[in-house]
Amino acid sequence: MKKITIAAILGIASLSLTSNAFAQVKPEDQIKYRKAAYSFASWNMGKIKANLEGTYDAAQVKAAANAIAAVAHSGLGALYGPGTEKAIGEQKTTVKPELFQKTAEVAKLAGDFAAASDELVIAADSGSAAAVKTAHGKAGATCKACHDEFRVR
Amino acid sequence: MKKITIAAILGIASLSLTSNAFAQVKPEDQIKYRKAAYSFASWNMGKIKANLEGTYDAAQVKAAANAIAAVAHSGLGALYGPGTEKAIGEQKTTVKPELFQKTAEVAKLAGDFAAASDELVIAADSGSAAAVKTAHGKAGATCKACHDEFRVR
């Protein structure tokens, strides 16, 4: 039986992975980079929220939406390789070990995040704050869905 | 005399900043997010390098180039606010204090990074590995230029 890794599943959900790119990144750096990716996305989600609650700057919202979509389509699956289920030295992780087992569910969640980020880009490009508000809410829900299931609280 | 902050300068070089988005982020989170942004960009630079040295996956290179450009255009200047010149608690920083003084030079470097990232996207979209190699080298040089000048070694 062919073993399907979580990296492959997440890769399929967003981007194909070349084995070279996968092999290049040490496990501790995989944890570092995946945390960086989500943190960068989080900052951009927060910027959009601030724009919706304050002065709406269409250019800033477009850039932030592009940033979130870039994260969602960056092939994050490559950062969940073997050995990254728990902390490595100073690189802590809040991932639950179940993420590495429940591949179908993770693929669904990753796909939902990617699709929601694409909708957010379309909404941002439209210049409609109302459309962005809806899309931002949907994108945030896809973040939360994965956190609720696979992040240690 | 009107005081121009580094955040404003970097904002001009990449994106306009709304004061609300600037005010929302605590100084320690500014440090966290800027480190995350550069780390995410670095991972994507590495992916392109791996593609150039191994099997070239055009879709992965395009996604990585988009990710780097998304970082460059994300308005990083907002993450260099007052109080972020040095570590805050556990949030270390390798920025040199001079970055907060040499605003014109920083604006030039930030502009160079943004322009190089745009060229990298164009090269990636062309599907030409040779064009990507050249653009990747140029983009890397803009990273290094800032590190050499403003990062503690």
Side-chain angles (χ1 to χ4, degrees):
Chain A
M1 190 179 146
K2 193 176 169 192
K3 181 140 192 231
I4 299 173
T5 66
I6 195 71
I9 289 283
L10 283 169
I12 289 162
S14 50
L15 249 199
S16 65
L17 297 169
T18 56
S19 57
N20 56 357
F22 185 49
Q24 290 263 339
V25 182
K26 287 186 296 187
E28 54 268 45
D29 288 340
Q30 291 178 36
I31 296 176
K32 175 186 164 185
Y33 288 142
R34 74 193 186 204
K35 290 194 296 189
Y38 297 124
S39 186
F40 179 61
S42 171
W43 173 50
N44 284 285
M45 286 293 286
K47 272 189 286 183
I48 294 176
K49 184 167 182 281
N51 271 273
L52 291 169
E53 292 172 353
T55 308
Y56 191 86
D57 179 330
Q60 189 180 71
V61 171
K62 281 175 74 165
N66 282 336
I68 295 158
V71 170
H73 290 283
S74 65
L76 294 170
L79 302 176
Y80 290 86
T84 68
E85 300 85 355
K86 51 188 176 185
I88 302 174
E90 303 241 318
Q91 277 301 337
K92 312 281 184 216
T93 175
T94 54
V95 74
K96 286 186 188 171
E98 298 93 280
L99 180 138
F100 297 82
Q101 308 302 326
K102 298 186 175 177
T103 52
E105 190 180 342
V106 172
K108 166 77 167 60
L109 291 170
D112 289 348
F113 174 40
S117 75
D118 290 341
E119 284 181 39
L120 186 55
V121 169
I122 292 167
D125 285 347
S126 80
S128 158
V132 167
K133 189 174 180 181
T134 301
H136 181 264
K138 281 189 186 178
T142 68
C143 298
K144 186 175 182 300
C146 198
H147 296 169
D148 286 350
E149 193 69 18
F150 294 117
R151 189 166 72 169
V152 177
R153 265 161 291 186
Chain B
M1 190 180 147
K2 193 177 169 193
K3 179 137 195 234
I4 300 173
T5 66
I6 194 73
I9 288 282
L10 283 170
I12 289 161
S14 50
L15 248 199
S16 64
L17 297 169
T18 56
S19 57
N20 56 356
F22 186 48
Q24 290 264 339
V25 182
K26 288 185 296 186
E28 54 267 46
D29 289 338
Q30 290 178 36
I31 296 176
K32 175 187 163 184
Y33 288 142
R34 74 193 187 205
K35 289 195 296 188
Y38 297 123
S39 186
F40 178 62
S42 171
W43 173 50
N44 284 285
M45 285 292 286
K47 271 189 287 183
I48 294 176
K49 184 167 182 283
N51 271 273
L52 291 169
E53 293 172 352
T55 308
Y56 191 85
D57 178 329
Q60 188 181 71
V61 171
K62 282 174 73 165
N66 282 336
I68 294 158
V71 170
H73 290 284
S74 65
L76 293 170
L79 302 177
Y80 290 86
T84 68
E85 300 85 354
K86 51 189 178 183
I88 302 174
E90 304 241 316
Q91 277 301 336
K92 312 281 184 216
T93 176
T94 54
V95 74
K96 286 187 188 171
E98 297 94 282
L99 179 138
F100 297 82
Q101 308 302 326
K102 297 186 176 178
T103 51
E105 190 180 342
V106 172
K108 166 78 166 58
L109 291 170
D112 288 348
F113 174 41
S117 75
D118 289 340
E119 285 180 40
L120 185 55
V121 169
I122 292 167
D125 284 347
S126 80
S128 159
V132 167
K133 188 174 181 181
T134 302
H136 181 264
K138 282 190 187 176
T142 68
C143 299
K144 186 176 183 300
C146 198
H147 296 170
D148 285 350
E149 193 70 16
F150 294 117
R151 188 165 72 168
V152 177
R153 266 162 290 185

